[in-house]
């Protein structure tokens, strides 16, 4: 909490930062969105102040306060529960611990609910449960995204088991929003704990933690009193959660509004199952995908392998920057960690919102090491599956960009279920009810690549390759000589032309003269056009036909049967 004092000489109002305890001039603090300019600490906001910061001025239309029975237990500790409620209403000016309504954010309509920690510590009782459920129902009824801003110490003990059951009530509410194919975003602010964290606050399709926020199930003091163990210094802080894959993003207060606006824009309008319709692109009528023989004789397989591994070849992040618009990266598998070898998020391609998932390598030793050379751990594939599910719920097509020597084969990966994660990713993408287009942009190594390359279309860039094993690995096993890698590459038939001929790939994305690394912008333009063209065709299909064709494609692999 902040305290205010007025220096007698000037009469100006000052507040003390609750982070560093320095005195701050209140008008400057307000201009800085109540973030300390000295230490960066985010002061707690009232629900009304939060709404004013987030939404367009004058756009908020408040829902009527919920009417639920008060004091169902006849509870009294040192003070009767009705007296506590009355005091909280008098002190805060609010009827309960939430404020909700409809609003617009940079012109994007939404349903918004904000919790106020001042009202009995933001504790969740029946009134809060009803407010969350009602907000979710309004979102579904009006086909609007739902944004929830949380601040809570947990369940309201004065309502006993009825308070506990609000966890089920609110969890179901978020599940219904997801089933309706609508976006839900939970903004976790300081503090968010207990039954709120263990229910609706963790069920948003996108979880954003405000910088420095403390978020967890049990608080530090409870943990230390219950379990005799030392806690890390940054334990349960927003940044700690991001590192452990538990939230999608950590944002400073000034960046919350632009981020939410971009997310709302990318998810508008809500799509029916089967994809977000988008106008066909005007302009060129020639196919962006070329025949394997286009551009002269097919390159030698070993030359392709070397080109695919060129250190300056564009990465997934390069293509996201050059070929896509409005990319918002989402992090974490919500269970263990955030794997930097997999990049995932939502973006726009040729005016169509899409979900994008891709392997990420790097251009120098430092980045390659940080990204584990593009070799994912199980949490990377589980992050990918989380985005697969997001694509299906929201009706967005899925685009995957493949560039990996293979899945990481280390001890930790095995212990966390590497094979299971790959198998589940392949199975999940094979049945997604939205179009799936995969582009092998560099290396396509084994099952680690196939986990992101199972869908309706597989395209290979001209200087990319796709193989059951690396040429070096094949040479070492079968030739018993790694130096035979060029011979193995040719025997494995790994090039785009080979794979189209085998029926594994569906087309070849051309590259500029000298390869993608020679002109990344031109390469990105060719990739973007090829994917957009494929999506134009696939998004025109209804879901049943899409799944039928995909099933036939996969069923016929290696059997000599064509797609019906």
């Amino acid at each position: 909490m902040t305290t205010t004092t007025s220096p007698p000489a000037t009469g100006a109002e000052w507040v003390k930062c609750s982070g560093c305890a320095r005195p701050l001039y209140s008008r400057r603090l307000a201009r800085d969105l109540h973030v300390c300019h000295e230490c960066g600490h985010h002061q707690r906001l009232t629900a009304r102040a939060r709404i004013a910061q987030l939404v367009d001025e004058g756009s908020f239309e408040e829902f009527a306060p919920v009417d639920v029975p008060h004091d169902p237990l006849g509870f009294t500790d040192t003070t009767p529960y009705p007296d506590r409620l009355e005091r909280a209403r008098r002190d805060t000016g609010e009827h309960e611990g939430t404020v909700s309504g409809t609003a617009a954010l940079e012109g994007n309509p939404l349903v918004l609910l904000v919790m106020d920690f001042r009202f009995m510590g933001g504790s969740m009782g029946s009134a809060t449960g009803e407010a969350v459920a009602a907000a979710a129902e309004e979102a579904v009824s009006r086909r609007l995204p739902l944004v929830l801003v949380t601040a809570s110490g947990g369940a309201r003990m004065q309502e006993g088991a009825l308070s506990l059951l609000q966890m089920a009530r609110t969890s179901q509410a978020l599940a219904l929003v997801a089933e309706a194919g609508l976006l839900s975003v939970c903004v976790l602010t300081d503090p968010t704990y207990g039954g709120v964290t263990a229910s609706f606050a963790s069920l948003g399709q996108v979880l954003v933690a405000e910088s420095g926020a403390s978020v967890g199930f049990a608080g530090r003091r409870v943990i230390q009193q219950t379990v005799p163990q030392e806690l890390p210094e940054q334990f349960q802080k927003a940044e700690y959660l991001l590192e452990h894959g538990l939230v999608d993003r950590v944002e400073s207060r000034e960046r919350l509004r632009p981020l939410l606006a971009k997310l709302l824009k990318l998810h508008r309008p809500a799509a029916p199952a089967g994809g977000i319709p988008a106008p066909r692109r005007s302009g060129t009528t020639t196919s962006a995908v070329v025949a394997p023989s286009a551009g002269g004789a097919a390159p030698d397989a070993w030359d392709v392998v070397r080109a695919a591994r060129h250190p300056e070849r564009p990465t997934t992040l390069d293509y996201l920057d050059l070929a896509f618009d409005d990319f918002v990266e989402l992090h974490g598998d919500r269970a263990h960690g955030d794997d930097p070898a997999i990049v995932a998020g939502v973006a726009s391609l040729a005016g169509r919102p899409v979900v994008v998932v891709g392997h990420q390598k790097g251009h120098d030793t430092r980045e390659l090491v940080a990204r584990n050379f593009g070799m994912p751990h199980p949490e990377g594939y589980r992050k990918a599956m989380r985005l697969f599910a997001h694509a299906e719920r929201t009706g967005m097509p899925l685009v995957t960009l493949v560039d990996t020597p293979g899945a990481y084969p280390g001890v930790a990966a095995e212990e966390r279920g590497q094979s299971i994660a790959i198998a589940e990713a392949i199975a999940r993408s094979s049945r997604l009810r939205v179009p799936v287009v995969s582009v092998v942009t560099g290396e396509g190594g084994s099952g680690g690549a196939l986990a992101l390359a199972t869908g309706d279309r597989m395209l290979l860039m001209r200087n990319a390759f796709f193989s059951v094993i690396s040429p070096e690995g094949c040479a070492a096993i079968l030739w018993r000589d790694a130096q035979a890698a060029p011979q193995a590459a040719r025997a494995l038939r790994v090039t785009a032309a080979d794979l189209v001929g085998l029926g594994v790939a569906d087309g070849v994305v051309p590259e500029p003269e000298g390869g993608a690394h020679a002109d990344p912008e031109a390469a990105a333009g060719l990739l973007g056009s090829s994917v957009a063209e494929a999506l134009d065709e696939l998004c025109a299909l209804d879901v049943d036909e899409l799944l039928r064709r995909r099933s036939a494609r996969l069923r016929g692999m290696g059997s000599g049967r064509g797609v019906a």
Side-chain angles (χ1 to χ4, degrees), residues 263-277:
L263 285 169
L264 295 175
K265 176 185 175 184
L266 287 168
H267 290 83
R268 185 183 66 181
I276 293 178

Side-chain angles (χ1 to χ4, degrees), residues 427-491:
R428 187 75 179 90
S429 56
S430 75
R431 298 302 297 165
L432 283 179
R433 296 175 64 82
V434 292
V436 182
V437 175
S438 303
V439 183
V440 183
T441 62
E443 292 186 87
S446 192
L450 186 61
L452 298 191
T454 303
D456 303 295
R457 297 281 190 278
M458 181 199 285
L459 308 177
L460 269 80
M461 298 196 73
R462 184 172 176 82
N463 290 312
F465 73 95
F466 188 78
S467 178
V468 67
I469 191 173
S470 70
E472 293 86 349
C474 179
I477 294 170
L478 299 182
W479 275 262
R480 299 185 183 277
D481 180 6
Q483 299 302 313
Q487 186 177 350
R490 298 177 191 112

